[in-house]
Amino acid sequence: MARRIVAAGNWKMNETPSEAAALIKELVPLVKNDEEDVILCVPAIDIIPAKEAAKGSNIHIGAENMYFEEKGAYTGEISPAMLVDAGVEYVILGHSERRTYFAETNETVNKKVLKAFEHGITPIICCGESLEQREQGITIDWIRQQVKIAFLGVTADQAKTAIIAYEPIWAIGTGKTATTAQAQEVCAAIRECIKELYGEGVSEEIRILYGGSVNAKTAKDLFDQPDIDGGLVGGASLKPEFGQIVNR
Ligand code: PGA
């Protein structure tokens, strides 16, 4: 079964609301493509102007994070209902920067994944090893653990709609893309792990992305790999280059 390619951008902490609207307008004609899912995950404060600027285009707007409680005394957090009301369809969860700088754990990622599904938001669940872990030879074990905990309590029907992003930490923002063989190897291992958890049907449907210094030059080979269904793109999603990645 052919899986639909996902080209997802992760803007991180870039673009003010007015800059976001202007950048989306610039990207709209460049990312036109009816055969792929084009998603831009933007800072929370940019979501509403981004939605407005993307109206009538094929760009879907996502968030970069979300809290796992419904509402209440959680100063500074954004709830799933707030995202849904603003028109958000996707949310990045467990990005390595959130794990490193904001103390996110596999357990909090799991709570957020369950909450996202409860509210009909598609999670883009991130996993990835550090350079040290890769050199120690524990990459696959580490990723399997991240994936298994993220999916605790997730039903098969939910799991097949999820998106997983494999992002080796050493490749993020470094200009050092993993080789296609390295990326394919880990994405295949993730699919195998999903197969063990949910069976072949789900593992063939779930989409697995590669992220880490994806650019217009590397996207085609990466996205052509049998177990890579697209990319999560940071730096290059803030530039017209994102159009070249979508339409490589
Ligand atoms: P990068 O970021 O493309 O700038 O390396 C990817 C990510 O962190 O999602």
Side-chain angles (χ1 to χ4, degrees):
M1 190 187 66
R3 291 177 292 267
R4 220 172 132 86
I5 291 279
V6 178
N10 172 12
W11 280 8
K12 311 194 178 187
M13 198 175 74
N14 293 296
E15 311 306 320
T16 65
S18 51
E19 288 167 351
L23 178 53
I24 301 254
K25 286 200 178 118
E26 187 185 348
L27 291 175
V28 163
L30 305 177
V31 301
K32 251 176 114 95
N33 186 319
D34 293 333
E35 270 137 50
E36 301 184 4
D37 289 334
V38 177
I39 307 165
L40 286 172
C41 298
V42 304
I45 199 166
D46 294 346
I47 289 169
I48 291 172
K51 277 293 290 186
E52 186 60 34
K55 220 177 237 170
S57 78
N58 61 318
I59 298 178
H60 298 266
I61 299 298
E64 298 176 9
N65 182 33
M66 180 197 87
Y67 200 47
F68 54 73
E69 294 290 353
E70 291 293 333
K71 64 185 332 192
Y74 304 102
T75 302
E77 291 295 329
I78 307 271
S79 76
M82 291 170 188
L83 294 182
V84 170
D85 190 57
V88 162
E89 299 165 86
Y90 300 87
V91 62
I92 297 175
L93 296 176
H95 190 279
S96 62
E97 287 151 16
R98 300 242 23 118
R99 295 178 191 255
T100 304
Y101 305 131
F102 304 100
E104 291 218 6
T105 63
N106 288 336
E107 288 71 25
T108 57
V109 172
N110 174 238
K111 286 186 183 180
K112 292 179 177 192
V113 168
L114 294 172
K115 247 321 162 204
F117 279 124
E118 209 179 288
H119 285 265
I121 306 172
T122 300
I124 301 174
I125 304 162
C126 300
C127 57
E129 82 289 1
S130 65
L131 188 56
E132 196 181 19
Q133 288 163 335
R134 175 159 285 269
E135 284 167 353
Q136 281 179 313
I138 60 168
T139 297
I140 303 289
D141 290 340
W142 177 262
I143 303 283
R144 282 175 57 88
Q145 175 150 334
Q146 287 185 318
V147 170
K148 283 185 171 183
I149 299 175
F151 279 83
L152 272 177
V154 173
T155 67
D157 276 347
Q158 292 170 332
K160 67 182 179 206
T161 69
I163 298 173
I164 299 175
Y166 165 57
E167 300 203 305
I169 297 169
W170 47 271
I172 295 178
T174 56
K176 203 174 152 187
T177 319
T179 65
T180 47
Q182 285 171 324
Q184 161 59 23
E185 182 197 12
V186 179
C187 290
I190 294 170
R191 202 173 300 285
E192 183 58 35
C193 180
I194 293 293
K195 185 174 162 189
E196 289 168 28
L197 294 174
Y198 295 104
E200 187 152 16
V202 174
S203 75
E204 285 303 311
E205 246 183 270
I206 197 167
R207 289 178 295 175
I208 303 174
L209 316 182
Y210 166 79
S213 299
V214 173
N215 59 41
K217 287 202 192 80
T218 55
K220 184 170 178 2
D221 275 354
L222 285 164
F223 298 8
D224 281 350
Q225 297 300 304
D227 287 296
I228 302 180
D229 308 312
L232 182 56
V233 183
S237 72
L238 292 158
K239 299 187 268 189
E241 183 177 0
F242 191 57
Q244 290 170 258
I245 292 172
V246 171
N247 293 306
R248 66 210 167 276

